[in-house]
């Protein structure tokens, strides 16, 4: 590939690892010192909190190892800020600088020229950003108006709020198309800006709409924190979203937060009770709300939890209510994209998988996956396909299941979704009786190559 300054640096992970190690030594940093520096930069830029020093240190050691993995996008961003400034606060970015050497190292790892150019632009932006780096990821027009509003919230106006809303909406639309870590980076400044403006003193007429943006931003941030395996941050963000939603007095928004939180809880906590409580609350709240589609989603998730608990009758009853709501006229629904029949067929399949007929489950999953074609639906499609593979195993078709799981591996890799990866590992465990078959070995190799599983 073309490296920085037009130089062809090729792909050589070992050389890239050596360059990162040399840069660290040039700064006089131990691995622990590098970890502390990156944690501090993340805090300064209002990015999602990094794990402990020990965990970051382990990641840094892996980048410098013989079989070095490339730093992910979050760490690429933070390392770029670290090496852009000298210990004395200078900002040399040209040829011969630590920053240029760092970008060259990424090229050696095989990072694309486009991504390297994006990092360079982001760092240059951040150095002239009145928000102390927080606004560097935002579009120039929004950045200017938002910097003024953050300096004096009384100067916020409709355009400020609309701009923040567009950032959250744009990031949400890219789920399934961009890596989850990159989406976190893009969303973080909007979350922090919304927090500051809600804290005021923002003009009173703007607060309801601003609070709506805050609810959407923190709910999405909670989901992204979960996807990047930061469960503590995810639950804290959902708690924040819940508080703001309660202040809005819009039941459908409250229910939406609770349902997203319930899904995260379902996959990050032992047992079903925590998720069940959140779903029961969401069903109750959604019943008095304006969105029948949010209500349908609540019934569908209640059905899944009942099925996981072996409660066939309760699951079927909840599914019937979900179908009633989905098939009701929802032309004026305030959340028109929140739930569809394709999603509901996937829930039907899960219920059949736990308390019904595997053949019916396979049919439901196939119909659901066929309809889930939009970019925003690819995470759900990967989940449905892995569940379909489970159904095939239970129907005595393990090789067909393995073939389908190859597609699921590719889908999970493309979306970076945590739930598809969890479901994949579960399906692979079901293939243990055939572990010596060549087609299972091929699947294991595929999993190891792309998921490290």
């Amino acid at each position: 590939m073309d490296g920085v300054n037009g130089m062809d640096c090729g792909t050589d992970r070992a050389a890239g690892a050596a360059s990162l190690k040399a840069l660290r030594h040039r700064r006089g940093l131990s691995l622990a010192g590098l970890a502390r520096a990156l944690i501090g930069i993340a805090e300064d830029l209002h990015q999602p909190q990094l794990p402990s020093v020990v965990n970051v240190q382990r990641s840094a050691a892996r980048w410098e190892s013989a079989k070095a993995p490339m730093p992910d996008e979050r760490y690429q961003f933070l390392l770029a800020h670290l090496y852009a400034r000298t210990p004395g606060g200078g900002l040399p970015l040209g040829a011969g600088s630590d920053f240029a050497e760092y970008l060259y190292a990424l090229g050696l790892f095989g990072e694309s020229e486009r991504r390297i150019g994006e990092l360079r632009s982001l760092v240059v932006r951040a150095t002239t950003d009145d928000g102390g780096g927080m606004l560097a990821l935002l579009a120039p027009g929004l950045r200017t108006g938002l910097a003024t509003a953050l300096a004096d919230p009384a100067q916020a106006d409709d355009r400020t709020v609309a701009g923040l809303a567009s950032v959250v909406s744009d990031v949400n639309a890219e789920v399934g198309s961009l890596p989850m870590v990159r989406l976190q980076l893009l969303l973080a400044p909007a979350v922090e800006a919304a927090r500051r403006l809600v804290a005021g003193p923002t003009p009173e007429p703007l607060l309801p709409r601003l609070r709506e943006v805050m609810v959407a931003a923190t709910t999405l941030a909670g989901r992204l924190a979960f996807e990047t395996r930061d469960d503590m941050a995810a639950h804290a963000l959902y708690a924040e979203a819940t508080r703001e939603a309660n202040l809005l007095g819009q039941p459908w928004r409250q229910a939406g937060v609770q349902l997203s939180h319930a899904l995260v809880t379902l996959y990050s906590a032992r047992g079903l009770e925590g998720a069940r409580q959140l779903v029961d609350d969401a069903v109750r709240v959604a019943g008095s709300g304006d969105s029948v589609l949010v209500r349908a989603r609540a019934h569908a998730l209640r059905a899944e939890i009942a099925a996981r608990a072996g409660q066939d009758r309760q699951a079927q009853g909840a599914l019937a209510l979900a179908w009633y709501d989905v098939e009701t006229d929802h032309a004026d629904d305030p959340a028109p994209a929140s739930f569809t029949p394709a999603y509901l067929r996937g829930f039907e399949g899960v219920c059949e998988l736990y308390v019904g007929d595997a053949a019916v489950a396979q049919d439901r999953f196939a119909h659901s996956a066929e309809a889930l074609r939009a970019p925003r639906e690819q995470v759900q499609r990967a989940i449905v396909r892995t569940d379909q593979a489970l159904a095939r195993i239970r129907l005595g078709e393990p090789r067909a299941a393995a073939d389908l799981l190859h597609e699921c591996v590719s889908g999970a890799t493309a979306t970076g979704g945590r739930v598809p990866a969890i479901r994949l590992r579960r399906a692979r465990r079901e293939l243990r009786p055939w572990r010596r078959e060549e087609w299972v070995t091929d699947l294991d190799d595929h999993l190891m190559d792309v998921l490290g599983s």
Side-chain angles (χ1 to χ4, degrees):
M1 62 164 275
D2 291 333
V4 292
N5 301 322
M7 185 184 300
D8 183 6
C9 59
T11 298
D12 186 342
R13 287 178 176 271
S19 292
L20 287 184
K21 187 172 185 177
L23 276 170
R24 177 172 62 79
H25 285 168
R26 189 184 302 171
R27 290 294 178 100
L29 291 170
S30 65
L31 285 169
L34 177 67
R36 286 191 290 269
L38 295 178
I39 289 170
I41 291 169
E43 292 175 353
D44 291 343
L45 296 179
H46 304 282
Q47 288 296 317
Q49 184 178 2
L50 293 182
S52 67
V53 170
V54 172
N55 286 335
V56 178
Q57 182 177 334
R58 287 174 183 157
S59 295
R62 285 195 293 272
W63 307 331
E64 299 177 5
S65 67
K67 296 182 179 180
M70 191 187 325
D72 69 23
E73 294 200 12
R74 170 169 36 185
Y75 283 115
Q76 285 182 18
F77 178 71
L78 299 175
L79 286 164
H81 278 271
L82 172 66
Y83 291 124
R85 291 193 180 276
T86 66
L91 195 70
L93 302 178
S97 66
D98 285 356
F99 181 67
E101 181 65 23
Y102 165 67
L103 296 183
Y104 182 73
L106 290 183
L108 290 171
F109 275 106
E111 186 54 273
S112 69
E113 183 178 3
R114 177 180 177 182
R115 173 62 182 161
I116 290 171
E118 288 175 352
L119 279 171
R120 183 189 293 110
S121 297
L122 288 173
V123 169
V124 171
R125 263 193 231 167
T127 62
T128 58
D129 172 20
D130 294 335
M134 182 182 75
L135 307 182
L137 293 165
L138 301 180
L142 175 59
R143 202 163 64 242
T144 301
L146 194 51
T148 301
L150 290 174
D152 179 8
Q155 298 299 311
D157 56 21
D158 289 334
R159 287 176 298 177
T160 307
V161 180
L164 275 180
S166 71
V167 171
V168 178
S169 177
D170 289 348
V171 172
N172 187 49
E174 295 296 340
V175 172
S177 300
L178 294 177
M180 299 295 182
V181 170
R182 187 184 302 184
L183 296 178
Q184 266 193 316
L185 293 174
L186 293 171
L187 183 65
V191 172
E192 182 61 24
R195 281 192 187 117
R196 293 190 188 184
L197 293 177
V198 165
T202 302
E204 190 71 27
L206 296 179
L207 281 178
R209 178 64 180 131
L210 186 57
R211 189 158 273 125
E212 290 175 3
V213 174
M214 181 71 171
V215 170
T218 48
T219 301
L220 180 56
R223 189 264 176 91
L224 294 175
F226 163 77
E227 297 285 8
T228 54
R229 293 166 175 76
D230 190 347
D231 294 339
M232 186 176 297
H235 291 300
L237 284 159
Y238 279 117
E240 188 175 9
T242 298
R243 288 194 299 271
E244 295 298 327
N246 290 344
L247 290 172
L248 272 174
Q250 296 176 357
W252 69 270
R253 289 188 191 275
Q254 294 171 246
V257 174
Q258 290 166 327
L259 290 171
S260 186
H261 194 186
L263 281 168
V264 165
T265 303
L266 185 61
Y267 290 100
S268 63
R270 292 183 180 274
L272 299 174
E273 192 53 35
R276 186 199 304 278
Q277 290 179 5
L278 285 163
V279 171
D280 287 347
D281 286 344
V283 170
R284 175 181 53 79
V285 172
S288 61
D290 296 329
S291 174
V292 294
L293 292 177
V294 169
R295 190 162 65 239
R297 184 178 167 214
H299 287 308
L301 189 50
R302 174 179 265 181
E304 176 175 344
I305 290 175
R308 285 172 177 267
Q311 299 169 341
D312 183 16
R313 185 175 59 81
Q314 291 90 329
Q316 294 304 321
L319 284 174
L321 291 171
W323 274 114
Y324 177 82
D325 285 330
V326 161
E327 292 172 344
T328 299
D329 178 25
H330 44 78
D332 297 323
D333 199 292
S338 60
F339 203 63
T340 67
Y343 278 80
L344 183 49
R345 289 191 188 96
F347 279 98
E348 279 189 316
V350 169
C351 292
E352 290 291 340
L353 200 60
Y354 278 98
V355 292
D357 186 329
V360 176
Q362 141 70 24
D363 179 68
R364 298 294 186 272
F365 290 136
H367 280 86
S368 176
E370 183 60 32
L372 294 168
R373 293 293 182 180
R376 183 66 174 76
E377 297 171 336
Q378 292 315 293
V379 173
Q380 186 66 21
R381 190 173 194 273
I383 292 169
V384 167
R385 283 299 197 199
T386 56
D387 287 343
Q388 185 181 357
L390 270 175
R392 287 187 172 178
I393 293 170
R394 294 180 186 180
L395 288 169
E397 303 172 5
R399 184 159 190 173
D403 291 341
L404 185 55
L405 287 173
H406 278 287
E407 176 191 332
C408 301
V409 172
S410 301
T413 305
T415 63
R418 181 177 173 186
V419 175
I422 291 171
R423 301 280 249 266
L424 268 170
R425 293 185 179 99
R426 176 187 167 203
R428 171 58 187 86
R429 286 196 296 270
E430 296 279 337
L431 288 172
R432 281 175 180 168
W434 301 275
R435 62 186 178 278
R436 299 188 188 281
E437 298 287 346
E438 183 180 356
W439 41 271
V440 175
T441 303
D442 289 343
L443 176 62
D444 287 342
D445 289 343
H446 195 181
L447 283 164
M448 184 63 70
D449 286 345
V450 301
L451 294 176
S453 299

